[in-house]
Amino acid sequence: MAITSIELDAYKPKSSPYIIREKQHNKKDGTLAFKILPNGSKDAYFIYYIDGKEKLRKIGRYGKTKGLMSLKSIRDTYNTLSREYQGGVDIKEQALLKAATLEKEKKDIADAKLKKEMQGSFQQLVTLYLEYVELKLSKKHHNAMNKAFRLNLESFDRTKKASDVTKDDISNIINPITLRGSLIASNRMRSYLSAMFSWGLDFDDDVSINKTNIKFYITNNPVTSVKKPLKKEPPAERFLSKSEIYNFWLALDKNGMSIYRKNILRLMIAIGARVESLSMLKWSEIDWQERLITIPPARSKNGNHWVIPLGDIAYDILKNNPKTNDIFLFPAKNGEAIQEDTVGKATTRVCEQNSLEHFSPRDLRRTWKTISGMAGRDKSIRDKIQNHSDKDISSIHYDRYDYLKEKRAAIEVWNDYLKTIIEGVPAEEEEEEVNSLERFFI
């Protein structure tokens, strides 16, 4: 028999809760029941059985005031639950599952919203990567990359999330550079973007570089599927002849550039080192007694210690270099090391003022490689002096003083050869042939 509202209202509370049930013709329908609480409240329940065990699923609280359920709405809910129960569903378990599903949906929405708020934009990726490059790699690399980004990203929507950048976006950045005919610049831009996204792939989980609350959620590098505009770049060929070395050395004597820049350029000719390694040279990196320079791995392109013996010319350049800074041999006015690009600009001015064919500091390293070959030094030992890595395993894990004796001997021969050049001693005009490929190993 169905309970009426008059009957339900007539039930009075007792000191303990008690339950009244409607009588059902079929147990498979489930039972509507009411629990009468000591405070007079009446809660409706759906009673059903799973594997012979009685279970209760609360429907709601009965009442005639706002916020409570009428007997009709309670019975409607009972009928719905009864149909579900007749279908073999565990009503209580299903309710818990629905609640868990709803809670998960709410959490997923909240997480997605938070992720969107924290997710880094393309511009943030650019900014953080440039900071990393300047701190961990080199100022030269940073300056070149910063300039390329400034010139070529002006029209790109940098507010776009970094993880949303596609292959087409990268193509749209690179194609205008290619259409200008600047194929090498296109290659460089592609390389910079690829390195940046590769770095971004590890950013979120790398606590050593991620000091922010930003996450990029980058799952792939969109640059890798974009083809290089120029498949193979032509090798650089410029190197100075012996007469050009003589004229340049002489021009440095007469030029008004700072003694520090002059000494960097002369050292490049004397020992074949890279401009970025020499411009940041520290007093602590010179062993005066052993006549050695040791460039640490942080400034060595292959990540190894770079030990360079000093011939008389290089040694005298360093000994006579004014010491106005306790850390750097070649300081700028702000006390930091001289910027590499200022050495390049100074070189250009010397060439213009002395009618010399233009070259860059990088060409001096190629010059050393080529002309020291003319002096009779074997290419393998020249490679070691210039810190080119051997690819075999035994050479990768090498003693930093490996081949020091051979390098000293080669530097001494080169020192004597260079001395004849800068003193203007007549020598055979450059008929000595060197394998032209050697000049490209810079």
Side-chain angles (χ1 to χ4, degrees):
M1 295 279 300
I3 297 175
T4 66
S5 59
I6 294 174
E7 291 174 324
L8 190 57
D9 291 340
Y11 284 104
K12 303 300 181 184
K14 298 180 181 179
S15 58
S16 298
Y18 65 97
I19 293 177
I20 58 170
R21 307 176 184 225
E22 288 187 342
K23 292 182 180 179
Q24 301 295 337
H25 296 294
N26 192 338
K27 199 174 183 180
K28 292 180 179 180
D29 294 338
T31 303
L32 177 61
F34 293 90
K35 181 184 284 188
I36 315 300
L37 303 178
N39 63 4
S41 298
K42 299 176 175 70
D43 290 338
Y45 285 88
F46 180 80
I47 299 177
Y48 63 105
Y49 297 87
I50 298 292
D51 296 331
K53 293 182 179 179
E54 183 178 280
K55 292 193 175 189
L56 282 80
R57 160 80 152 79
K58 187 174 180 178
I59 295 174
R61 180 157 291 181
Y62 165 76
K64 296 177 180 177
T65 58
K66 188 177 180 181
L68 301 180
M69 295 181 72
S70 67
L71 184 57
K72 181 181 183 304
S73 62
I74 287 174
R75 201 169 294 286
D76 288 343
T77 303
Y78 160 79
N79 289 331
T80 300
L81 294 175
S82 178
R83 285 192 296 271
E84 292 178 0
Y85 174 53
Q86 289 170 26
V89 174
D90 186 331
I91 306 300
K92 193 171 185 178
E93 291 298 324
Q94 187 183 53
L96 291 173
L97 182 61
K98 285 181 179 178
T101 302
L102 183 61
E103 187 62 31
K104 184 177 183 306
E105 288 174 356
K106 288 180 180 178
K107 185 177 183 303
D108 288 346
I109 291 170
D111 288 348
K113 183 180 178 182
L114 181 62
K115 176 179 175 180
K116 203 70 176 175
E117 290 172 353
M118 291 178 60
Q119 191 172 0
S121 66
F122 180 82
Q123 179 59 58
Q124 287 173 311
L125 179 62
V126 168
T127 300
L128 290 171
Y129 183 58
L130 284 173
E131 289 175 0
Y132 168 80
V133 169
E134 185 174 25
L135 183 66
K136 297 293 186 180
L137 302 182
S138 73
K139 287 187 177 181
K140 179 182 179 182
H141 194 52
H142 169 268
N143 291 341
M145 185 178 293
N146 189 33
K147 183 178 179 181
F149 285 171
R150 196 170 60 249
L151 290 174
N152 300 305
L153 295 177
E154 190 174 349
S155 61
F156 185 74
D157 179 12
R158 285 168 281 180
T159 63
K160 189 170 189 174
K161 299 300 184 183
S163 62
D164 294 338
V165 175
T166 65
K167 171 189 174 182
D168 289 340
D169 290 324
I170 300 300
S171 295
N172 290 337
I173 292 171
I174 294 174
N175 287 345
I177 312 172
T178 306
L179 292 173
R180 294 199 300 264
S182 304
L183 298 183
I184 292 179
S186 298
N187 270 20
R188 293 286 180 275
M189 190 65 185
R190 181 189 178 281
S191 175
Y192 295 153
L193 289 170
S194 181
M196 180 178 74
F197 274 97
S198 292
W199 178 82
L201 280 167
D202 299 325
F203 178 86
D204 294 357
D205 300 319
D206 192 339
V207 293
S208 67
I209 58 175
N210 187 2
K211 308 294 184 183
T212 71
N213 62 350
I214 295 171
K215 286 184 179 290
F216 291 109
Y217 303 104
I218 297 172
T219 56
N220 69 292
N221 186 337
V223 186
T224 54
S225 55
V226 177
K227 292 183 179 180
K228 289 183 179 180
L230 187 61
K231 196 168 186 180
K232 187 175 182 181
E233 295 183 22
E237 297 186 5
R238 178 77 168 105
F239 74 100
L240 278 64
S241 65
K242 288 183 285 187
S243 59
E244 285 181 309
I245 294 173
Y246 170 78
N247 290 329
F248 179 62
W249 199 281
L250 197 62
L252 288 176
D253 285 332
K254 300 182 294 183
N255 193 270
M257 80 166 69
S258 75
I259 184 65
Y260 300 128
R261 291 180 179 82
K262 289 181 182 181
N263 285 346
I264 290 171
L265 292 166
R266 283 176 172 147
L267 277 174
M268 290 191 72
I269 298 174
I271 59 178
R274 296 183 177 91
V275 63
E276 59 267 30
S277 299
L278 291 178
S279 65
M280 298 184 71
L281 190 64
K282 298 178 181 179
W283 293 103
S284 60
E285 293 166 356
I286 302 174
D287 185 332
W288 298 103
Q289 185 173 348
E290 294 295 327
R291 294 171 67 122
L292 296 172
I293 289 175
T294 301
I295 306 295
R299 295 206 320 280
S300 168
K301 195 170 183 179
N302 62 10
N304 295 325
H305 283 90
W306 181 6
V307 180
I308 311 169
L310 299 171
D312 289 340
I313 294 174
Y315 184 82
D316 289 342
I317 291 170
L318 293 173
K319 268 295 185 184
N320 294 318
N321 187 72
K323 187 172 184 179
T324 59
N325 184 291
D326 291 335
I327 299 174
F328 299 108
L329 272 81
F330 311 120
K333 290 181 180 179
N334 64 2
E336 295 297 319
I338 278 179
Q339 293 283 325
E340 305 158 37
D341 59 344
T342 66
V343 180
K345 291 173 183 176
T347 303
T348 298
R349 285 195 296 272
V350 173
C351 291
E352 291 172 350
Q353 292 166 4
N354 294 273
S355 300
L356 300 175
E357 184 182 343
H358 178 265
F359 65 89
S360 69
R362 180 182 175 87
D363 296 324
L364 295 179
R365 182 166 159 82
R366 189 179 300 106
T367 296
W368 185 94
K369 185 62 167 285
T370 304
I371 307 298
S372 63
M374 292 180 181
R377 296 301 84 195
D378 181 77
K379 178 182 174 299
S380 63
I381 198 64
R382 282 179 282 147
D383 282 346
K384 287 180 171 55
I385 292 172
Q386 288 197 308
N387 203 37
H388 290 299
S389 294
D390 292 324
K391 302 302 181 184
D392 60 285
I393 296 299
S394 62
S395 298
I396 291 172
H397 306 285
Y398 76 107
D399 183 335
R400 71 179 65 177
Y401 295 106
D402 238 6
Y403 293 93
L404 182 57
K405 181 179 178 181
E406 292 83 353
K407 289 196 288 187
R408 282 193 193 279
I411 282 290
E412 288 303 320
V413 171
W414 167 243
N415 183 84
D416 293 343
Y417 196 80
L418 177 60
K419 187 176 180 181
T420 64
I421 295 174
I422 62 179
E423 290 180 352
V425 176
E428 300 171 11
E429 200 50 46
E430 317 178 43
E431 330 141 319
E432 300 101 322
E433 289 297 327
V434 197
N435 183 344
S436 61
L437 289 175
E438 289 179 357
R439 70 189 66 168
F440 305 146
F441 290 93
I442 60 171

